[in-house]
Amino acid sequence: MTIRVLIADDQVMIRDGLAALLSSDPEIEVIGQAGNGREAVDMARALDPNVVVMDIRMPEMDGLAATAELIGAPAGTDTADPADVRPKVLVLTTFDLDEYVYEALGAGASGFLLKDASAADLVTGVRVVAAGDALLAPSITRRLIGDFARRRRHQRPSPTATAGLTPREMDVLRLIARGLSNAEIAAELVLAEQTIKTHVGHVLTKLALRDRTQAVVFAYENGLVG
């Protein structure tokens, strides 16, 4: 299936460059370009993209506010209807702007990509996010998510939040938080990959989480991983 992508960046050259890189992949179609967050929200609602590649610093409405509005959850919350089909947001960020990453997590972004990433990384990032997986680079995941959880410790869910999960689903959630793919989780637990996919679906549904990125955040916030 073709992945429909909307690009949001206030610099025309960057938008055109990203569009050219993504369009070189036969399974990716760039359906629009937005120059600010407000345009991104309006165009996303009109064009129904699978993925929005979102810059953060933009005029009129920045990428954080635009992400929150697109996902439908206020910035700083992690609630959304997992059955509701909404575009995935891949945020473009820089390594030294961690605060933006924390806010983007709360706003509902599904992944993060450094602006100096290669063309191959960009294409892979779009594919990963479109598939519903989390895109959190190993080099920054532990520090970003761990610090994010500590900053929001006062907003921790009730200890009963995981009461509906089976022991096996808890195992799967912990391994998701460690960054393992379905295939790696299957190998770790000696189960079929399709079984793992089923468990992941149950975890997201029971915890009212939209995707694996939110599952990672949830696990860190609740002390399920260290």
Side-chain angles (χ1 to χ4, degrees):
M1 185 180 69
T2 300
I3 302 172
R4 295 160 52 83
V5 176
L6 172 67
I7 297 171
D9 196 291
D10 61 332
Q11 298 185 45
V12 177
M13 289 183 64
I14 290 181
R15 291 202 307 269
D16 289 345
L18 293 174
L21 290 173
L22 291 173
S23 296
S24 66
D25 188 293
E27 295 184 2
I28 296 177
E29 177 187 5
V30 177
I31 60 173
Q33 298 183 29
N36 59 61
R38 173 48 58 196
E39 285 185 3
V41 171
D42 293 341
M43 292 181 70
R45 289 173 174 168
L47 301 176
D48 193 27
N50 303 116
V51 176
V52 179
V53 178
M54 184 81 74
D55 187 23
I56 291 181
R57 289 183 170 179
M58 294 185 290
E60 294 192 38
M61 176 186 284
D62 65 28
L64 299 174
T67 296
E69 189 164 333
L70 275 176
I71 301 304
T77 69
D78 294 319
T79 56
D81 182 356
D84 192 10
V85 178
R86 309 183 191 192
K88 306 294 184 181
V89 175
L90 174 59
V91 171
L92 294 175
T93 185
T94 54
F95 188 76
D96 60 341
L97 295 178
D98 290 347
E99 185 61 38
Y100 289 153
V101 179
Y102 307 142
E103 293 182 37
L105 274 172
S110 293
F112 307 93
L113 196 64
L114 303 182
K115 279 199 170 182
D116 61 357
S118 68
D121 287 340
L122 175 63
V123 171
T124 298
V126 168
R127 287 176 174 276
V128 167
V129 169
D133 291 332
L135 181 68
L136 299 169
S139 61
I140 62 175
T141 297
R142 189 181 301 264
R143 182 168 58 87
L144 293 183
I145 300 298
D147 197 16
F148 175 76
R150 287 192 295 273
R151 287 165 177 257
R152 300 181 61 200
R153 188 79 60 184
H154 64 287
Q155 296 179 349
R156 288 177 62 140
S158 165
T160 61
T162 59
L165 298 184
T166 66
R168 180 60 75 194
E169 289 165 353
M170 287 290 291
D171 292 339
V172 170
L173 176 57
R174 291 188 180 96
L175 294 174
I176 290 174
R178 284 172 47 192
L180 274 65
S181 67
N182 285 346
E184 291 168 334
I185 295 174
E188 180 84 10
L189 299 180
V190 194
L191 294 171
E193 187 172 349
Q194 186 57 50
T195 301
I196 298 303
K197 290 181 180 179
T198 300
H199 284 315
V200 171
H202 289 166
V203 168
L204 298 181
T205 299
K206 289 181 179 181
L207 299 180
L209 302 174
R210 184 181 53 260
D211 53 30
R212 295 170 79 103
T213 307
Q214 286 197 338
V216 172
V217 174
F218 180 92
Y220 272 87
E221 286 185 321
N222 285 275
L224 300 180
V225 289

